[in-house]
Amino acid sequence: MTISERSDGPSPALVPAKKHDGEALLKVTGLRKHFPIKKGLFQRQAGAVRAVDELDFEVWPGETLGVVGESGCGKSTMGRLITRLLEPSAGTVEFEGRDITHLGVGAMRPLRRDVQMIFQDPYSSLNPRHTIGTIVGAPFRLQRVSPAGGVRKEVQRLLSVVGLNPEHYNRYPHEFSGGQRQRVGIARALALNPKLVVADEPVSALDVSIQAQVVNLLDDLQQELGLTYVIIAHDLSVVRHVSDRIAVMYLGKIVELADRDSLYRAPMHPYTKALMSAVPIPDPRRKNAKSGRILLNGDVPSPISPPSGCRFHTRCWKATELCGTTEPPLLEVRHGRQVACHHPENVDDPAPPDAALLTATKEAFERLWTGDPAGSEPMR
Ligand SMILES: Nc1ncnc2c1ncn2[C@@H]1O[C@H](COP(=O)(O)OP(=O)(O)OP(=O)(O)O)[C@@H](O)[C@H]1O
Ligand code: SF4
Ligand SMILES: [Mg+2]
């Protein structure tokens, strides 16, 4: 059995994914973070928040990977895991081919130069008692790096790179607007000439009018400095213009991963389609036929006890019995195009929701997913 493109629908293969022959800058395998929930006098573990559950993906040098999903789906946890600000419960993180999953503080220090993070809130992420010069210069002191020409000169250069007046070196964060403060955060992240920058909702705390400026700045800096980005956002409009590829997360899992153009042209996962059709989408059994909006039912379930089978089945309008019992793995339907769904959009349905076919389909899928030779290979 193969998953084949539907001839009457838009083809997801219109824009072929770029082949990456070299080594991934970052490679994540089976990455998991479960936060234990402790209860009672003896603080016994009563369960766990399954914030990130078995992520597999790569980030290629020079690209921007956008990561989107609703609040609580594990985006920030993923960002903190790949920058090693959090210790994973399982899985591995490789940077430039080296396993960095369990490196200690000392061994991580040189790597801290290469991997930097930009945080969501430019208000709380800058120490109000420090001048901008001190804040942007902090990485040099922490890493004991002496830039040629001195820290002050280098900080002033960085301020002008991000579009701030270098003369404002001695000013305090409260003297700057939100957009300017985020530029300070970007200057600080760039200080040590990193290879990978993970930006966690870098513009969501900013005025809409300022958001585009900051996104454009990140884009320009990428061209000039050859940076690689992972940009986290819950708003697809933020990542759309800057991402080469987009990973869509739902309840701790990646449900679709594709190059930007294919994803927008022909989303395969019903959740991606819903995310794209409307923002936000609270209620609903109502489907606005005119705008083509898909209105999702209910809230995101708790990551403490996620639904069985496909985690999206409690809200999915295409859910079948199979979806409630069998988890669909993230399957590469063709090079660079991965989706975790039994009945994906924009391809022939590999598991038609016909009751009579259900059992046979389920068995065939199990063979397909487990790689049993009795089943056919997934299409690549
Ligand atoms: N330190 C922690 N201890 C326990 N649970 C946590 C911790 N950090 C995050 N969580 C939980 O893990 C889940 C994922 O959180 P996370 O912050 O990664 O989501 P997110 O996608 O970034 O959400 P948002 O869009 O709101 O920022 C949530 O249910 C959250 O409550
Ligand atoms: S596997 Fe089933 S429930 Fe999950 S997204 Fe696909 S159709 Fe919907
Ligand atoms: Mg977050």
Side-chain angles (χ1 to χ4, degrees):
M1 183 168 58
T2 58
I3 296 178
S4 57
E5 279 171 54
R6 204 170 58 194
S7 51
D8 58 345
S11 164
L14 290 175
V15 181
K18 249 190 269 174
K19 288 218 184 223
H20 299 279
D21 298 325
E23 185 178 59
L25 186 63
L26 183 86
K27 185 170 193 288
V28 163
T29 313
L31 192 65
R32 193 192 297 163
K33 182 68 188 178
H34 291 183
F35 294 105
I37 302 168
K38 298 199 169 152
K39 280 202 177 135
L41 193 59
F42 299 105
Q43 288 289 288
R44 290 224 170 85
Q45 188 172 338
V49 181
R50 295 161 72 170
V52 160
D53 229 355
E54 307 287 336
L55 299 189
D56 295 301
F57 63 90
E58 280 122 4
V59 184
W60 301 97
E63 79 164 343
T64 297
L65 176 71
V67 180
V68 292
E70 280 163 293
S71 184
C73 71
K75 305 180 297 292
S76 297
T77 305
M78 181 278 296
R80 296 170 75 83
L81 288 169
I82 62 176
T83 47
R84 285 294 328 276
L85 296 173
L86 267 180
E87 192 71 15
S89 314
T92 55
V93 180
E94 288 165 62
F95 186 76
E96 294 186 314
R98 178 177 172 213
D99 187 345
I100 62 163
T101 323
H102 300 294
L103 290 189
V105 179
M108 266 309 287
R109 185 167 292 129
L111 256 153
R112 294 252 166 256
R113 297 177 62 165
D114 290 337
V115 183
Q116 290 290 320
M117 196 151 179
I118 298 170
F119 296 94
Q120 172 176 2
D121 187 353
Y123 299 88
S124 63
S125 62
L126 305 182
N127 188 330
R129 289 188 298 276
H130 289 170
T131 65
I132 296 307
T134 308
I135 291 169
V136 177
F140 298 113
R141 284 187 294 281
L142 286 169
Q143 288 280 343
R144 299 182 197 110
V145 171
S146 312
V151 172
R152 185 187 177 115
K153 203 167 163 215
E154 182 58 12
V155 167
Q156 289 184 320
R157 187 189 71 78
L158 284 162
L159 291 177
S160 56
V161 163
V162 299
L164 293 171
N165 186 341
E167 301 304 315
H168 293 166
Y169 180 92
N170 279 321
R171 295 198 179 179
Y172 288 86
H174 73 266
E175 298 176 67
F176 293 85
S177 68
Q180 288 173 325
R181 286 186 221 201
Q182 195 55 300
R183 286 172 191 265
V184 173
I186 294 169
R188 176 177 56 185
L190 298 181
L192 297 169
N193 200 15
K195 292 177 179 159
L196 176 67
V197 175
V198 178
D200 188 359
E201 310 239 15
V203 297
S204 59
L206 304 178
D207 257 26
V208 176
S209 55
I210 310 295
Q211 289 187 355
Q213 288 176 21
V214 174
V215 169
N216 289 340
L217 170 66
L218 288 171
D219 208 17
D220 293 345
L221 291 171
Q222 182 172 43
Q223 313 290 327
E224 283 166 36
L225 307 173
L227 296 167
T228 304
Y229 289 140
V230 174
I231 299 188
I232 295 168
H234 55 262
D235 185 347
L236 270 160
S237 65
V238 170
V239 293
R240 175 164 195 165
H241 300 291
V242 288
S243 302
D244 297 297
R245 292 187 305 139
I246 295 177
V248 179
M249 283 186 73
Y250 187 78
L251 266 185
K253 298 223 168 241
I254 292 178
V255 295
E256 184 161 3
L257 179 56
D259 71 275
R260 185 250 330 252
D261 292 338
S262 302
L263 190 96
Y264 278 89
R265 206 179 301 247
M268 285 190 177
H269 199 281
Y271 179 61
T272 312
K273 198 170 176 188
L275 268 188
M276 265 155 59
S277 76
V279 207
I281 0 174
D283 174 354
R285 289 142 270 186
R286 290 178 287 120
K287 199 172 161 176
N288 182 337
K290 266 191 190 158
S291 65
R293 279 190 174 188
I294 297 158
L295 300 166
L296 289 181
N297 217 344
D299 295 326
V300 185
S302 164
I304 298 170
S305 51
S308 60
C310 171
R311 292 184 177 189
F312 187 53
H313 88 260
T314 53
R315 302 169 83 197
C316 182
W317 66 97
K318 297 184 79 178
T320 59
E321 196 186 320
L322 176 68
C323 305
T325 56
T326 307
E327 184 175 348
L330 190 64
L331 181 75
E332 187 163 38
V333 288
R334 75 176 51 78
H335 179 74
R337 193 83 216 255
Q338 293 171 286
V339 65
C341 176
H342 294 303
H343 314 294
E345 298 278 307
N346 293 307
V347 285
D348 282 340
D349 190 339
D354 180 318
L357 285 174
L358 212 55
T359 310
T361 311
K362 191 179 163 201
E363 284 169 5
F365 255 86
E366 277 164 1
R367 283 203 302 275
L368 183 68
W369 301 150
T370 54
D372 180 333
S376 48
E377 280 296 302
M379 193 172 135
R380 302 234 162 217

